[in-house]
């Protein structure tokens, strides 16, 4: 009887199907998750582009920027590197710039758009004609992920009434892909998203700019 059991092929197809279906199931979920990861990458890239554009027409996050350009020769061009870059970000829930003051209201406008000010990571629903913020393009963002830098790259002139015309860079840091199916199965939860940034030239630097 044991010999018959050892040589029997009954149920072999079921075992093979179970193995094949498991592999197929994992493959299918992998395609779905990696497709979603590419969507997150594109959404984050769009958020960076829009954030830089919004920063270029808004009041600066770095409150010391208005007086950053040299004043020794009124009307002279502001040369590249005339002042140290202002790097503004949140760390442990506290916003700061590398020098000078930090405007939480201006940062909120870049992060949350035209919605009401909030010194938090929440992303509110837009109403009416309110412009979106970075979080509306990529909901997984937190304030700590966003870094805004204002630097002198040879634009504008000294003692300009509206302050210097900086070059603005918005970049993301410490952003991980959010996997749904594979995070528990294969531990794909801690893959860092490649660094991305967008650089634009400052314009009026006023919140009322179109």
């Amino acid at each position: 009887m044991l010999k018959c059991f050892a040589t029997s092929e009954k149920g072999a197809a079921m075992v093979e199907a179970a193995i094949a279906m498991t592999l197929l199931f994992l493959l299918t979920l992998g395609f779905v998750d990696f497709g979603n990861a590419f969507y997150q990458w594109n959404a984050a890239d769009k958020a960076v582009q829009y954030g830089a554009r919004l920063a270029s027409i808004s009041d600066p996050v770095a409150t010391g920027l208005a007086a950053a350009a040299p004043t020794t020769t009124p009307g002279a061009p502001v040369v590249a590197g005339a002042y140290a870059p202002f790097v503004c970000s949140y760390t442990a829930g506290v916003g700061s710039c590398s020098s000078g003051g930090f405007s939480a209201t201006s940062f909120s406008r870049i992060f949350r758009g035209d919605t009401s000010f909030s010194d938090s990571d929440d992303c509110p629903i837009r109403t009416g004609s309110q412009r979106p913020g970075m979080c509306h393009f990529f909901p997984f963002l937190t304030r700590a992920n966003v870094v805004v830098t204002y630097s002198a790259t040879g634009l504008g002139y000294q003692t300009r009434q509206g302050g210097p015309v900086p070059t603005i860079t918005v970049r993301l840091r410490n952003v991980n892909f959010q996997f749904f199916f594979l995070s528990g199965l294969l531990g794909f939860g801690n893959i860092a998203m490649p660094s991305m940034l967008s650089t634009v030239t400052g314009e009026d630097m006023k919140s009322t700019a179109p």
Side-chain angles (χ1 to χ4, degrees):
M1 185 174 181
L2 183 60
K3 182 179 179 180
C4 293
F5 176 78
T7 58
S8 176
E9 295 184 0
K10 293 181 179 180
M14 183 176 295
V15 173
E16 293 169 356
I19 296 173
M21 289 298 293
T22 300
L23 295 176
L24 183 61
F25 185 66
L26 288 175
L27 186 62
T28 301
L29 294 183
F31 278 126
V32 172
D33 248 358
F34 278 106
N36 184 54
F38 278 115
Y39 167 78
Q40 293 175 41
W41 191 358
N42 288 330
D45 186 55
K46 182 63 178 179
V48 166
Q49 294 176 20
Y50 189 82
R53 170 59 184 164
L54 200 56
S56 72
I57 59 173
S58 303
D59 291 327
V61 178
T63 58
L65 183 65
T71 59
T72 53
T73 310
V78 176
V79 298
Y83 53 87
F86 291 81
V87 183
C88 305
S89 62
Y90 271 89
T91 302
V94 178
S96 64
C97 295
S98 55
S99 59
F102 177 91
S103 173
T105 301
S106 297
F107 193 98
S108 175
R109 188 162 185 272
I110 296 171
F111 185 75
R112 294 163 50 95
D114 289 337
T115 58
S116 59
F117 166 76
S118 176
D119 196 21
S120 67
D121 291 329
D122 70 296
C123 192
I125 299 175
R126 296 164 51 221
T127 59
S129 59
Q130 291 178 332
R131 283 180 292 191
M134 295 179 66
C135 67
H136 293 103
F137 290 93
F138 188 51
F140 295 114
L141 280 183
T142 67
R143 294 171 301 163
N145 298 137
V146 181
V147 180
V148 184
T149 302
Y150 302 88
S151 56
T153 53
L155 301 172
Y157 52 88
Q158 296 183 28
T159 66
R160 176 178 177 270
Q161 184 176 2
V165 181
T167 293
I168 305 169
T169 299
V170 174
R171 66 181 177 88
L172 299 183
R173 64 179 181 182
N174 304 326
V175 180
N176 291 332
F177 287 111
Q178 302 295 320
F179 292 102
F180 295 98
F181 302 112
L182 299 182
S183 59
L185 294 175
L186 300 176
F188 276 63
N190 295 319
I191 297 181
M193 190 175 293
S195 177
M196 58 186 67
L197 58 84
S198 181
T199 300
V200 297
T201 301
E203 296 181 12
D204 287 341
M205 298 296 290
K206 297 178 181 178
S207 57
T208 55

